[in-house]
Amino acid sequence: MTLGNHSIVTQFRLLGLSTDPHIQALLFVLFLKIYLLTLTGNLMMLLVVRADSHLHTPMFFFLSHLSLLDLCLSSVTVPKMLKDLLSETKTISVRGCLAQGFFALITAGTECFLLSAMAYDRYAAICHPLLYGQMMKKQLCVQLVWGSWGLASLNAFINTLLAANLDFCENHTISHYSCEVPSLFPLSCSDVSINLTVLLCSSLMHGFGTLFPIVFSYARIVSTILSISSTKGRSKTFSTCSSHLTAVSFFFGSGFLRYLMPTSGSPLELIFSVQYGVVTPMMNPLIYSLKNKKVKAAVRRTLGKYM
Protein backbone atom coordinates (compact mmCIF):
# COMPACT_ATOMS: atom_id res chain seq x y z
CA MET A 1 0.00 0.00 0.00
CA THR A 2 1.32 3.48 -0.80
CA LEU A 3 0.53 7.02 0.18
CA GLY A 4 1.65 9.31 -2.63
CA ASN A 5 5.27 8.36 -3.21
CA HIS A 6 5.71 6.94 0.31
CA SER A 7 5.21 3.43 1.65
CA ILE A 8 3.10 3.35 4.79
CA VAL A 9 4.96 2.37 7.96
CA THR A 10 3.24 -0.23 10.15
CA GLN A 11 5.97 -0.55 12.78
CA PHE A 12 8.90 1.38 14.19
CA ARG A 13 12.41 0.29 15.07
CA LEU A 14 13.71 1.38 18.45
CA LEU A 15 17.43 2.09 18.70
CA GLY A 16 17.38 1.58 22.47
CA LEU A 17 20.10 2.67 24.87
CA SER A 18 23.01 0.89 23.17
CA THR A 19 23.83 -1.35 20.21
CA ASP A 20 26.74 -3.08 21.96
CA PRO A 21 25.63 -6.61 23.07
CA HIS A 22 27.89 -6.55 26.15
CA ILE A 23 26.55 -3.17 27.29
CA GLN A 24 22.99 -4.36 26.58
CA ALA A 25 23.53 -7.36 28.87
CA LEU A 26 24.79 -5.09 31.66
CA LEU A 27 21.89 -2.68 31.13
CA PHE A 28 19.42 -5.57 31.26
CA VAL A 29 20.72 -6.64 34.68
CA LEU A 30 20.74 -3.04 35.93
CA PHE A 31 17.23 -2.16 34.78
CA LEU A 32 15.82 -5.51 35.88
CA LYS A 33 17.09 -4.80 39.39
CA ILE A 34 15.66 -1.27 39.25
CA TYR A 35 12.28 -2.56 38.07
CA LEU A 36 12.12 -5.24 40.76
CA LEU A 37 13.01 -2.64 43.40
CA THR A 38 10.31 -0.35 41.96
CA LEU A 39 7.69 -3.09 42.17
CA THR A 40 8.74 -4.17 45.65
CA GLY A 41 9.01 -0.66 47.11
CA ASN A 42 5.75 0.68 45.72
CA LEU A 43 3.73 -2.47 46.45
CA MET A 44 5.09 -2.40 49.99
CA MET A 45 4.06 1.25 50.33
CA LEU A 46 0.55 0.44 49.08
CA LEU A 47 0.27 -2.47 51.52
CA VAL A 48 1.59 -0.51 54.49
CA VAL A 49 -0.68 2.50 53.94
CA ARG A 50 -3.73 0.28 53.52
CA ALA A 51 -2.93 -2.05 56.44
CA ASP A 52 -1.81 0.46 59.08
CA SER A 53 -4.55 2.66 60.55
CA HIS A 54 -1.94 5.18 61.73
CA LEU A 55 -1.36 6.11 58.08
CA HIS A 56 -5.01 6.72 57.18
CA THR A 57 -4.41 10.46 56.73
CA PRO A 58 -4.60 12.72 53.65
CA MET A 59 -0.81 12.77 53.15
CA PHE A 60 -0.56 8.97 53.05
CA PHE A 61 -3.73 8.73 50.96
CA PHE A 62 -1.91 10.78 48.32
CA LEU A 63 1.27 8.80 48.87
CA SER A 64 -0.52 5.51 48.17
CA HIS A 65 -1.78 6.92 44.87
CA LEU A 66 1.73 8.16 44.08
CA SER A 67 2.98 4.59 44.57
CA LEU A 68 0.27 3.29 42.25
CA LEU A 69 1.26 5.86 39.63
CA ASP A 70 4.94 4.97 39.94
CA LEU A 71 4.06 1.31 39.37
CA CYS A 72 2.11 2.25 36.26
CA LEU A 73 4.68 4.73 34.91
CA SER A 74 7.51 2.25 35.25
CA SER A 75 5.47 -0.63 33.81
CA VAL A 76 4.55 1.37 30.70
CA THR A 77 8.13 1.32 29.37
CA VAL A 78 10.48 -0.89 31.41
CA PRO A 79 9.14 -4.39 30.51
CA LYS A 80 9.34 -3.56 26.80
CA MET A 81 12.82 -2.10 27.28
CA LEU A 82 13.99 -5.25 29.09
CA LYS A 83 12.62 -7.42 26.27
CA ASP A 84 14.39 -5.29 23.65
CA LEU A 85 17.71 -5.47 25.51
CA LEU A 86 17.63 -9.23 24.91
CA SER A 87 16.39 -9.00 21.32
CA GLU A 88 18.26 -8.40 18.10
CA THR A 89 15.20 -6.82 16.49
CA LYS A 90 13.70 -3.99 18.50
CA THR A 91 10.36 -3.16 16.88
CA ILE A 92 6.97 -1.90 17.97
CA SER A 93 3.78 -1.46 15.95
CA VAL A 94 2.49 2.03 15.25
CA ARG A 95 -0.60 1.34 17.36
CA GLY A 96 1.54 -0.10 20.15
CA CYS A 97 3.77 2.95 19.99
CA LEU A 98 0.83 5.34 20.22
CA ALA A 99 -0.61 3.33 23.12
CA GLN A 100 2.69 3.44 24.98
CA GLY A 101 2.97 7.19 24.44
CA PHE A 102 -0.63 7.66 25.57
CA PHE A 103 -0.20 5.79 28.85
CA ALA A 104 3.15 7.47 29.50
CA LEU A 105 1.47 10.87 29.18
CA ILE A 106 -1.43 9.85 31.45
CA THR A 107 0.72 8.47 34.26
CA ALA A 108 3.37 11.20 34.13
CA GLY A 109 0.72 13.92 33.85
CA THR A 110 -1.32 12.54 36.75
CA GLU A 111 1.83 12.42 38.87
CA CYS A 112 2.40 16.14 38.21
CA PHE A 113 -1.07 17.00 39.48
CA LEU A 114 -0.77 14.63 42.43
CA LEU A 115 2.54 16.14 43.54
CA SER A 116 0.86 19.54 43.36
CA ALA A 117 -2.01 18.29 45.55
CA MET A 118 0.53 16.88 48.01
CA ALA A 119 2.19 20.30 48.22
CA TYR A 120 -1.16 21.83 49.14
CA ASP A 121 -1.56 19.15 51.82
CA ARG A 122 1.82 20.11 53.33
CA TYR A 123 0.83 23.80 53.16
CA ALA A 124 -2.41 23.11 55.04
CA ALA A 125 -0.64 20.96 57.66
CA ILE A 126 2.18 23.43 58.38
CA CYS A 127 0.57 26.82 57.83
CA HIS A 128 -2.94 26.03 59.15
CA PRO A 129 -2.57 23.09 61.56
CA LEU A 130 -5.75 23.91 63.49
CA LEU A 131 -7.82 23.98 60.29
CA TYR A 132 -6.09 21.02 58.65
CA GLY A 133 -9.00 18.63 59.22
CA GLN A 134 -11.43 21.04 57.59
CA MET A 135 -9.12 21.97 54.71
CA MET A 136 -8.20 18.38 53.80
CA LYS A 137 -11.48 16.51 54.09
CA LYS A 138 -11.64 13.04 52.56
CA GLN A 139 -14.07 14.20 49.88
CA LEU A 140 -11.62 16.89 48.73
CA CYS A 141 -8.72 14.42 48.66
CA VAL A 142 -10.72 12.02 46.48
CA GLN A 143 -11.74 14.87 44.17
CA LEU A 144 -8.11 15.99 43.82
CA VAL A 145 -7.02 12.47 42.86
CA TRP A 146 -9.81 11.94 40.33
CA GLY A 147 -9.27 15.44 38.99
CA SER A 148 -5.58 14.63 38.49
CA TRP A 149 -6.44 11.53 36.48
CA GLY A 150 -9.10 13.35 34.48
CA LEU A 151 -6.97 16.34 33.44
CA ALA A 152 -3.97 14.17 32.60
CA SER A 153 -6.18 11.82 30.54
CA LEU A 154 -7.58 14.77 28.58
CA ASN A 155 -4.08 16.05 27.85
CA ALA A 156 -2.89 12.59 26.78
CA PHE A 157 -5.98 12.00 24.61
CA ILE A 158 -5.57 15.28 22.70
CA ASN A 159 -1.84 14.84 22.01
CA THR A 160 -2.12 11.15 21.11
CA LEU A 161 -5.13 11.74 18.85
CA LEU A 162 -3.18 14.38 16.93
CA ALA A 163 -0.21 12.01 16.66
CA ALA A 164 -2.47 9.20 15.41
CA ASN A 165 -3.51 11.38 12.45
CA LEU A 166 0.08 11.76 11.25
CA ASP A 167 1.42 9.82 8.28
CA PHE A 168 4.64 7.92 9.01
CA CYS A 169 6.75 7.03 6.02
CA GLU A 170 10.30 6.13 4.94
CA ASN A 171 12.19 6.85 8.18
CA HIS A 172 10.85 4.47 10.82
CA THR A 173 13.68 4.49 13.38
CA ILE A 174 13.09 6.01 16.81
CA SER A 175 16.28 7.14 18.55
CA HIS A 176 14.94 6.10 21.92
CA TYR A 177 14.23 3.04 24.07
CA SER A 178 10.47 3.71 24.17
CA CYS A 179 7.71 5.52 22.31
CA GLU A 180 7.03 9.00 23.60
CA VAL A 181 4.87 11.41 21.63
CA PRO A 182 7.72 13.89 20.89
CA SER A 183 9.81 11.07 19.41
CA LEU A 184 7.21 10.49 16.67
CA PHE A 185 7.35 13.95 15.12
CA PRO A 186 10.71 13.59 13.29
CA LEU A 187 9.39 10.36 11.66
CA SER A 188 6.31 11.93 10.11
CA CYS A 189 6.03 13.11 6.52
CA SER A 190 3.00 15.20 7.54
CA ASP A 191 3.04 18.77 8.81
CA VAL A 192 3.70 18.49 12.56
CA SER A 193 3.53 22.20 13.38
CA ILE A 194 0.09 21.84 15.02
CA ASN A 195 1.29 18.82 17.02
CA LEU A 196 4.38 20.67 18.21
CA THR A 197 2.35 23.74 19.17
CA VAL A 198 -0.28 21.74 21.05
CA LEU A 199 2.34 19.63 22.84
CA LEU A 200 4.37 22.71 23.81
CA CYS A 201 1.31 24.63 25.02
CA SER A 202 -0.14 21.68 26.90
CA SER A 203 3.25 20.89 28.47
CA LEU A 204 3.68 24.49 29.59
CA MET A 205 0.12 24.74 30.91
CA HIS A 206 0.33 21.32 32.53
CA GLY A 207 3.80 21.89 33.94
CA PHE A 208 3.49 25.44 35.20
CA GLY A 209 -0.15 24.89 36.18
CA THR A 210 1.00 22.21 38.61
CA LEU A 211 4.32 23.83 39.51
CA PHE A 212 2.78 27.17 40.52
CA PRO A 213 0.75 25.70 43.44
CA ILE A 214 3.89 23.88 44.57
CA VAL A 215 5.98 27.07 44.52
CA PHE A 216 3.20 29.04 46.24
CA SER A 217 2.73 26.37 48.90
CA TYR A 218 6.43 26.15 49.68
CA ALA A 219 6.81 29.93 49.74
CA ARG A 220 4.19 30.03 52.50
CA ILE A 221 5.72 26.98 54.20
CA VAL A 222 9.19 28.58 54.26
CA SER A 223 7.70 31.79 55.63
CA THR A 224 5.96 29.84 58.40
CA ILE A 225 9.09 27.83 59.22
CA LEU A 226 11.23 30.98 59.47
CA SER A 227 8.74 32.45 61.94
CA ILE A 228 9.37 29.54 64.34
CA SER A 229 11.74 30.71 67.07
CA SER A 230 13.54 27.47 67.95
CA THR A 231 16.01 25.78 65.62
CA LYS A 232 14.72 22.36 66.65
CA GLY A 233 11.17 23.39 65.82
CA ARG A 234 12.18 24.69 62.39
CA SER A 235 14.11 21.51 61.64
CA LYS A 236 11.25 19.25 62.75
CA THR A 237 8.69 21.18 60.70
CA PHE A 238 10.83 21.19 57.57
CA SER A 239 11.44 17.44 57.87
CA THR A 240 7.71 16.83 57.35
CA CYS A 241 7.91 18.17 53.78
CA SER A 242 11.52 17.36 52.80
CA SER A 243 10.53 14.01 51.25
CA HIS A 244 7.92 15.63 49.03
CA LEU A 245 10.31 18.40 48.00
CA THR A 246 12.91 15.81 47.01
CA ALA A 247 10.36 13.87 44.94
CA VAL A 248 9.22 17.06 43.19
CA SER A 249 12.81 18.02 42.33
CA PHE A 250 13.55 14.59 40.82
CA PHE A 251 10.36 14.33 38.78
CA PHE A 252 9.74 17.89 37.59
CA GLY A 253 13.38 18.60 36.81
CA SER A 254 13.89 15.69 34.43
CA GLY A 255 10.30 15.65 33.09
CA PHE A 256 10.30 19.32 32.11
CA LEU A 257 13.66 19.05 30.39
CA ARG A 258 12.58 15.93 28.47
CA TYR A 259 9.36 17.37 27.05
CA LEU A 260 10.57 20.92 26.42
CA MET A 261 13.90 20.10 24.74
CA PRO A 262 14.02 19.34 20.97
CA THR A 263 13.76 15.64 20.11
CA SER A 264 17.15 14.51 18.85
CA GLY A 265 17.88 11.14 20.44
CA SER A 266 20.86 12.63 22.24
CA PRO A 267 22.36 10.89 25.30
CA LEU A 268 21.13 13.77 27.47
CA GLU A 269 17.57 13.25 26.26
CA LEU A 270 17.77 9.54 27.08
CA ILE A 271 19.18 10.32 30.52
CA PHE A 272 16.25 12.63 31.33
CA SER A 273 13.76 9.98 30.14
CA VAL A 274 15.40 7.28 32.26
CA GLN A 275 15.49 9.67 35.23
CA TYR A 276 11.77 10.49 35.35
CA GLY A 277 10.39 7.27 33.85
CA VAL A 278 12.60 4.60 35.45
CA VAL A 279 14.71 5.94 38.33
CA THR A 280 12.19 8.27 40.01
CA PRO A 281 9.49 5.56 40.42
CA MET A 282 12.11 3.48 42.24
CA MET A 283 13.34 6.39 44.37
CA ASN A 284 9.98 7.70 45.64
CA PRO A 285 9.20 4.84 48.08
CA LEU A 286 12.81 4.94 49.28
CA ILE A 287 12.65 8.71 49.82
CA TYR A 288 9.40 8.53 51.78
CA SER A 289 10.32 5.45 53.81
CA LEU A 290 13.83 6.56 54.74
CA LYS A 291 12.86 10.13 55.68
CA ASN A 292 9.54 9.44 57.41
CA LYS A 293 9.51 7.92 60.89
CA LYS A 294 5.81 7.06 60.63
CA VAL A 295 6.39 5.03 57.47
CA LYS A 296 9.38 3.21 58.98
CA ALA A 297 7.35 2.37 62.08
CA ALA A 298 4.40 1.24 59.97
CA VAL A 299 6.66 -0.99 57.85
CA ARG A 300 7.99 -2.67 61.01
CA ARG A 301 4.45 -3.19 62.33
CA THR A 302 3.21 -4.55 58.99
CA LEU A 303 6.16 -6.90 58.55
CA GLY A 304 5.67 -8.05 62.15
CA LYS A 305 2.13 -9.17 61.32
CA TYR A 306 3.26 -11.38 58.43
CA MET A 307 6.51 -12.75 59.85
Side-chain angles (χ1 to χ4, degrees):
M1 183 182 288
T2 61
L3 180 69
N5 295 324
H6 302 284
S7 59
I8 292 180
V9 172
T10 57
Q11 64 181 15
F12 298 121
R13 183 170 71 93
L14 299 167
L15 286 185
L17 296 172
S18 174
T19 56
D20 187 318
H22 299 291
I23 295 178
Q24 286 184 13
L26 292 173
L27 289 174
F28 174 82
V29 174
L30 173 63
F31 286 113
L32 178 61
K33 289 182 178 179
I34 289 175
Y35 187 55
L36 291 176
L37 284 172
T38 301
L39 293 179
T40 304
N42 285 290
L43 286 173
M44 175 62 74
M45 190 65 72
L46 284 169
L47 174 64
V48 167
V49 172
R50 183 172 181 82
D52 197 301
S53 60
H54 296 85
L55 301 184
H56 292 175
T57 63
M59 184 179 77
F60 292 105
F61 172 76
F62 290 132
L63 183 56
S64 65
H65 283 274
L66 181 65
S67 293
L68 176 61
L69 279 169
D70 283 334
L71 281 172
C72 295
L73 179 59
S74 183
S75 297
V76 166
T77 57
V78 177
K80 169 65 175 168
M81 178 176 66
L82 291 173
K83 174 181 173 294
D84 287 343
L85 286 170
L86 297 179
S87 306
E88 291 186 10
T89 304
K90 303 172 177 60
T91 59
I92 186 170
S93 67
V94 172
R95 289 184 177 181
C97 188
L98 290 168
Q100 191 178 60
F102 174 74
F103 287 112
L105 279 175
I106 283 184
T107 49
T110 305
E111 188 152 334
C112 288
F113 283 111
L114 191 63
L115 288 170
S116 185
M118 292 172 75
Y120 176 73
D121 172 76
R122 292 299 82 209
Y123 158 75
I126 293 173
C127 300
H128 303 284
L130 299 179
L131 299 175
Y132 180 71
Q134 297 179 24
M135 294 176 68
M136 298 304 299
K137 292 181 179 179
K138 183 177 181 179
Q139 183 181 4
L140 175 62
C141 295
V142 172
Q143 289 173 346
L144 287 172
V145 169
W146 282 111
S148 299
W149 278 102
L151 291 171
S153 298
L154 178 63
N155 176 57
F157 178 77
I158 291 172
N159 281 286
T160 307
L161 182 63
L162 289 172
N165 289 324
L166 296 174
D167 295 317
F168 301 102
C169 37
E170 295 182 354
N171 180 20
H172 62 285
T173 301
I174 297 177
S175 302
H176 209 277
Y177 65 86
S178 69
C179 283
E180 295 180 350
V181 171
S183 302
L184 300 178
F185 299 157
L187 308 182
S188 176
C189 48
S190 307
D191 180 12
V192 298
S193 58
I194 294 178
N195 300 73
L196 287 169
T197 302
V198 171
L199 180 65
L200 179 62
C201 291
S202 63
S203 297
L204 289 172
M205 290 174 62
H206 199 130
F208 287 108
T210 52
L211 191 60
F212 176 76
I214 293 174
V215 173
F216 172 81
S217 296
Y218 275 101
R220 297 296 302 271
I221 287 170
V222 169
S223 176
T224 300
I225 290 174
L226 292 177
S227 67
I228 299 174
S229 57
S230 68
T231 304
K232 185 178 179 180
R234 286 196 296 267
S235 176
K236 184 178 180 180
T237 305
F238 180 75
S239 67
T240 63
C241 56
S242 60
S243 298
H244 176 260
L245 194 56
T246 304
V248 166
S249 301
F250 269 113
F251 187 79
F252 272 84
S254 54
F256 264 167
L257 291 170
R258 168 64 187 100
Y259 277 90
L260 294 181
M261 70 185 302
T263 300
S264 61
S266 65
L268 192 61
E269 180 184 323
L270 292 175
I271 289 171
F272 289 143
S273 291
V274 169
Q275 171 65 50
Y276 89 85
V278 180
V279 177
T280 299
M282 176 195 69
M283 293 298 297
N284 280 342
L286 294 175
I287 291 169
Y288 278 96
S289 61
L290 292 176
K291 289 194 172 186
N292 194 299
K293 293 180 180 179
K294 288 184 178 180
V295 173
K296 287 190 285 188
V299 169
R300 287 193 294 269
R301 284 193 295 268
T302 303
L303 290 177
K305 292 180 182 179
Y306 298 98
M307 293 180 68

